Amino acid sequence: MFETVKTAPADPILGLTEAFNQDPNPDKINLSVGVYQDGSGKTPVLPTVKEAERRLLESETTKSYLPMTGDRTYGSLVQKLMFGDGHGIVAEGRGATAHCPGGTGALRVAGDYIHKLHPGSAIWLSDPTWANHPTVFKAAGLEVKTYAYRDPATNGLDFNAMIESLEQVPAGDVVLLHGCCHNPTGIDPTVEQWSQVGELIRRRGVLPLVDFAYQGLADGIDQDAAGLRALVEHVDQLLIASSFSKNFGLYRERTGALTIIGSTAEQAQTVMSQLKLVIRANYSNPPAHGGGIVMTVLQDRELRAKWELEVAEIRDRINGMRHLFVETLKGKGVTRDFSAIIQQRGMFSFSGLTKEQVEELREKHAIYIVGSGRINVAGMNEANMGRLCDAIASVL
Ligand code: LMR
């Protein structure tokens, strides 16, 4: 059977990590995959995560299965983190959450659900979007379409074009929105723009799916949820895929969630009953460890406060690197205007580097950047900044 199988192309993001790991150059720089690195280039386990793991190890009494949708407490904590304690959605029980294996797992469950329960619904993704979005939704059998997002002239949001293309989305289709820290551009709509998008979505009868993978990495835990909270002022049915890979550093623990917001609590539970069938046919029930860590931290006042400080440290370091990158490039005599990168948020920005320049950076300088020109600002530090900017100046 296998004689006919041809080698598959490498994944545009994770394939680069494989190549990076094999590169013997001691000065190699990884700005590809969205993984946080501290000032010394390490991806640390957060101290609050370590403490939660210690507590879990002591208190755990069973390895029996979790329910298909995970622990109810986890679901409730996920909702409170997104909407804030006492928000109407939480108080009215209009949210139902399934603990999923990472943000990608949550997106795939959403894709399978849409394909099964809303056949014929296409999904609209921003242009550009995370390279894995089209892959996940096509694998789920959905038709993938795009809406305008970035203005290449300003490296900012082309909001008029975004609205114009969203006006073309037919009722019953799904629109994917990035909750904050847009991947790959780092460009987010303002809260007012979120409101306008919400009004449009409600008027057109479209279902939003919010990919919320970077809460806390832009301006703060609550601040980063402001767009989502503005959206639900207009829209009463939506899906939200959460990830704790970045804000808890739980990458390999595959810790995420899919939340359904219904018009009523009963409706949310009905949709969740369908999601359970999707989950059972997919991975049956979620892995427990990462969810246990998130619950332990969020339920303990002291740990939660410490975790918020840890997230602030990550955010501040990334935002500091944005400034240093732009200043260092200027200092190296680069005349192209990179200043928009300072306004952008989260791990990523579009550098505007071409595919050929990205290749040259990899081949001549052992600097790894995604082919689209997306850079992971969290891979920069004071020690590698000079070499990075010299190399970029040389390929421009
Ligand atoms: C990224 O965009 O680099 C991250 O979300 C990691 C991944 O799975 O691609």
Side-chain angles (χ1 to χ4, degrees):
M1 297 286 283
F2 297 155
E3 285 82 356
T4 55
V5 178
K6 302 216 168 50
T7 305
D11 181 80
I13 298 174
L14 299 184
L16 280 174
T17 306
E18 289 172 16
F20 177 83
N21 289 339
Q22 280 162 17
D23 191 329
N25 187 329
D27 296 324
K28 60 189 177 180
I29 300 176
N30 192 0
L31 305 186
S32 59
V33 70
V35 171
Y36 177 74
Q37 297 169 38
D38 65 14
S40 63
K42 302 254 168 19
T43 302
V45 180
L46 299 184
T48 50
V49 166
K50 270 277 183 226
E51 171 58 20
E53 285 185 308
R54 196 188 56 72
R55 293 187 194 178
L56 281 174
L57 193 65
E58 276 169 13
S59 62
E60 196 172 57
T61 52
T62 181
K63 292 286 185 193
S64 178
Y65 296 121
L66 282 179
M68 287 177 276
T69 52
D71 195 310
R72 286 175 73 90
T73 307
Y74 175 80
S76 143
L77 290 163
V78 168
Q79 290 179 31
K80 286 181 185 160
L81 196 64
M82 293 190 293
F83 297 110
D85 293 359
H87 189 281
I89 286 177
V90 178
E92 292 157 27
R94 284 176 45 221
T97 297
H99 173 182
C100 294
T104 309
L107 292 168
R108 180 58 192 258
V109 169
D112 285 347
Y113 160 80
I114 294 161
H115 186 246
K116 189 173 168 202
L117 274 295
H118 308 284
S121 293
I123 188 157
W124 294 68
L125 308 175
S126 63
D127 178 18
T129 194
W130 179 42
N132 208 29
H133 276 150
T135 313
V136 168
F137 296 117
K138 281 181 194 164
L142 298 185
E143 187 186 353
V144 170
K145 298 186 173 182
T146 54
Y147 62 88
Y149 195 78
R150 174 178 175 264
D151 180 357
T154 61
N155 200 6
L157 179 63
D158 191 343
F159 189 63
N160 289 340
M162 178 183 178
I163 290 290
E164 237 168 69
S165 47
L166 290 180
E167 288 286 2
Q168 312 306 315
V169 180
D173 273 5
V174 180
V175 169
L176 186 137
L177 301 164
H178 297 229
C180 68
C181 305
H182 182 269
N183 179 1
T185 66
I187 304 163
D188 290 330
T190 62
V191 178
E192 292 69 35
Q193 288 170 335
W194 270 95
S195 279
Q196 285 184 54
V197 170
E199 189 280 320
L200 183 157
I201 280 177
R202 184 186 45 74
R203 177 165 46 76
R204 294 204 63 79
V206 167
L207 180 72
L209 163 56
V210 178
D211 186 353
F212 203 26
Y214 296 88
Q215 185 176 7
L217 267 70
D219 296 306
I221 300 291
D222 280 323
Q223 293 89 326
D224 294 357
L228 173 65
R229 293 175 192 176
L231 182 74
V232 297
E233 292 295 313
H234 299 275
V235 176
D236 61 358
Q237 296 180 15
L238 70 152
L239 298 170
I240 309 157
S242 306
S243 166
F244 298 113
S245 293
K246 325 286 170 167
N247 53 13
F248 276 84
L250 288 176
Y251 310 93
R252 66 174 60 177
E253 301 298 352
R254 311 309 302 134
T255 314
L258 182 64
T259 299
I260 303 149
I261 308 299
S263 306
T264 61
E266 196 189 344
Q267 187 181 66
Q269 292 307 326
T270 305
V271 176
M272 184 52 84
S273 71
Q274 293 290 347
L275 276 191
K276 279 188 190 167
L277 300 185
V278 169
I279 289 167
R280 179 65 169 144
N282 195 327
Y283 53 84
S284 195
N285 47 71
H289 188 63
I293 294 169
V294 170
M295 281 195 288
T296 306
V297 172
L298 293 183
Q299 278 178 302
D300 182 292
R301 273 173 77 100
E302 210 178 306
L303 274 187
R304 181 181 169 136
K306 276 194 190 152
W307 167 70
E308 291 206 16
L309 291 176
E310 290 165 356
V311 178
E313 198 178 307
I314 290 173
R315 174 172 71 238
D316 292 346
R317 200 190 86 73
I318 297 176
N319 289 338
M321 285 302 112
R322 289 183 173 280
H323 283 270
L324 188 62
F325 179 57
V326 172
E327 278 161 25
T328 312
L329 281 174
K330 240 192 226 161
K332 302 277 177 198
V334 171
T335 49
R336 190 194 285 182
D337 182 14
F338 281 92
S339 59
I341 289 179
I342 293 174
Q343 314 320 323
Q344 295 165 359
R345 284 291 175 268
M347 287 189 174
F348 308 115
S349 272
F350 248 17
S351 61
L353 293 165
T354 63
K355 212 167 174 301
E356 292 70 34
Q357 289 165 337
V358 167
E359 261 164 38
E360 196 179 334
L361 283 172
R362 187 166 66 241
E363 278 158 20
K364 290 202 185 137
H365 304 277
I367 293 172
Y368 288 74
I369 293 177
V370 177
S372 61
R374 183 194 83 168
I375 45 172
N376 175 12
V377 182
M380 299 176 188
N381 56 49
E382 285 178 16
N384 69 20
M385 192 64 86
R387 190 172 107 66
L388 171 68
C389 292
D390 277 332
I392 291 179
S394 78
V395 303
L396 277 177

